[in-house]
Structure formats: C-alpha cells, structure tokens
Amino acid sequence: EIVMTQSPTTLSVSPGERATLSCRASQSVSNRLAWYQQKPGQAPRLVVYGASTRASGFPARFSGSGSGTEFTLIINSLQSEDFAVYYCQQYHNWYSFGQGTKLEI
Amino acid sequence: QVQLVESGGGVVQPGGSLRLSCQASGFTFSNYGMHWVRQAPGSGLEWVGNIWDDGSTKHYGDSVRGRFTISRDNSKNTLDLQMSSLSVEDTAVYYCARKGGVGAYDNWFESWGLGTLVVVSS
C-alpha cells in the first residue's frame, strides 16, 4: 500500500498571500497524483491531476508540481473561496489519499 | 454537465445490510469506470472500490472486500453498492465518483456526487 503524507496538517495564511501544500508518497507514484478541494458539507472537487494539470474551473493561481514521491500544490493570491481542506491522492498503485491539509485564515 | 446523485443512505444496525445507488447523467455512462469513496465523520477520504466501464472487473479496498459488492446497469445509468455485515466503522458519507477519462491511466476522480450518509448504530 502506498501511504500518502501531507504537510502541514493546518496552514494559516492571509488572503492575498501564497499557500504551499506538500504531499509525499511512500514510494514513487510517477506523476499519477491528484489534488482535491473540499469545503465543509460539500463533496471533494478535483483541482489538479497528473500532478500538474489544472482541472476545469480552477484559475491559474492554482499550480501543481512534482513527480516520484514529492508533490506540491501552490495557491497564489489566496481568495476567501480558497479556504478549505485539500487532499492529495495517488492513482499509480490502486488509490490512496493523504490525511488532508486544512487551509485556514 | 456531469451529475451524480447518490441515494439509499440511512441508519442500519450492526450486522445489517444496505444498498446504495448512484444515478449518473450528463455523460456517456457506459464509457467510464466508476468508484465509491467514503468519508467517516470528521475524517479523511477512503477509497471503497471501483468497477470498470463494462462492469467486467471490480476491485475493493481491504476494509470492505468480501462484504461490499459494486455493480452497475449501463442501460439505466446507475451504479450500486451493496453493503453487508456492516459495523460502526462503516459509518460515513459515501460518494460515487467518475473516473477521469476513458484512457487506461486516467484514474483520477473527475466528478463526485454529493454523497449519502450511512450510520451504523444500534
């Protein structure tokens, strides 16, 4: 089983600033890494797939990078609607999620 | 647009069974693999299982294998999850999700339903 570890657990950032979220895989997942955004009471929503391809509906200030075991989601110029929990997920060997990073003001 | 609507959740006693359904619309259902993902209250996401586009192959997570069964009816655009031998640890919101693309490696979860809550309690 591939274990996904996200850091930090909670990230406090002010609107307009940059947020950097990290995700580490216990073994290489190539670029088969997705990020999801989840707001309270809502379903998760795909943000990035293939480690760096933005999903429709997300602006260019969302940027994913990485390959192998280390991945990053950067959100520039944070807007109020960006504050949520973000999960990374590998789909290289079955499917597993990180524990989430809560992005808060 | 893609729409996935789950139903069938509710309260069930430990050891009981429940069947969830997911109604799909807005895309050619028979072209896409489908997944079930669950989220226990206050917890993260856990993959439950998936089924290929033609229903020929199914896979399950370790915690549900042998107790849960995924099926689909491509003529009705529906996905089902039959759950049996339920325990309190199965209490969660259950989401159906569509595979990212039709390619073999497009295995991210592109679209999600709103979820249905299953509570296992005596």
Side-chain angles (χ1 to χ4, degrees):
Chain A
E1 178 193 356
I2 298 178
V3 177
M4 307 301 291
T5 303
Q6 292 184 241
S7 61
T9 300
T10 303
L11 181 60
S12 298
V13 187
S14 298
E17 295 185 337
R18 168 188 290 186
T20 302
L21 289 67
S22 297
C23 176
R24 172 177 293 178
S26 60
Q27 64 189 77
S28 177
V29 298
S30 185
N31 70 334
R32 292 179 185 143
L33 189 286
W35 290 92
Y36 301 90
Q37 176 194 71
Q38 187 177 34
K39 298 179 180 178
Q42 297 185 18
R45 184 182 172 197
L46 177 69
V47 181
V48 164
Y49 61 93
S52 61
T53 302
R54 253 188 343 270
S56 63
F58 283 89
R61 52 198 179 79
F62 286 81
S63 174
S65 63
S67 66
T69 62
E70 300 285 342
F71 301 88
T72 302
L73 177 68
I74 292 176
I75 312 171
N76 288 306
S77 302
L78 278 162
Q79 306 293 308
S80 58
E81 61 265 28
D82 301 335
F83 292 94
V85 178
Y86 290 82
Y87 294 95
C88 64
Q89 177 220 11
Q90 67 82 19
Y91 50 94
H92 177 69
N93 185 348
W94 299 113
Y95 310 91
S96 50
F97 293 88
Q99 81 281 13
T101 290
K102 182 178 181 180
L103 182 58
E104 64 177 24
I105 299 175
Chain B
Q1 73 283 16
V2 174
Q3 191 167 12
L4 300 168
V5 180
E6 301 91 341
S7 61
V11 180
V12 59
Q13 291 188 339
S17 299
L18 201 63
R19 189 177 187 91
L20 307 182
S21 291
C22 171
Q23 181 69 53
S25 60
F27 65 102
T28 304
F29 183 68
S30 59
N31 285 352
Y32 289 86
M34 297 293 295
H35 297 264
W36 286 98
V37 179
R38 69 184 182 182
Q39 185 171 36
S43 297
L45 301 167
E46 179 188 12
W47 176 71
V48 171
N50 73 322
I51 185 168
W52 285 16
D53 52 1
D54 61 1
S56 63
T57 301
K58 309 164 192 181
H59 300 287
Y60 301 93
D62 289 343
S63 61
V64 307
R65 188 176 298 116
R67 300 187 300 121
F68 289 13
T69 301
I70 298 174
S71 61
R72 65 190 293 161
D73 185 336
N74 285 346
S75 68
K76 297 180 180 179
N77 291 353
T78 57
L79 172 74
D80 287 341
L81 179 66
Q82 177 67 47
M83 305 183 294
S84 62
S85 301
L86 286 162
S87 69
V88 295
E89 289 76 28
D90 296 314
T91 294
V93 174
Y94 285 75
Y95 298 100
C96 65
R98 197 200 79 177
K99 181 173 174 279
V102 297
Y105 298 104
D106 297 343
N107 291 317
W108 60 90
F109 299 170
E110 179 83 23
S111 303
W112 299 62
L114 295 179
T116 187
L117 176 63
V118 173
V119 176
V120 184
S121 173
S122 55

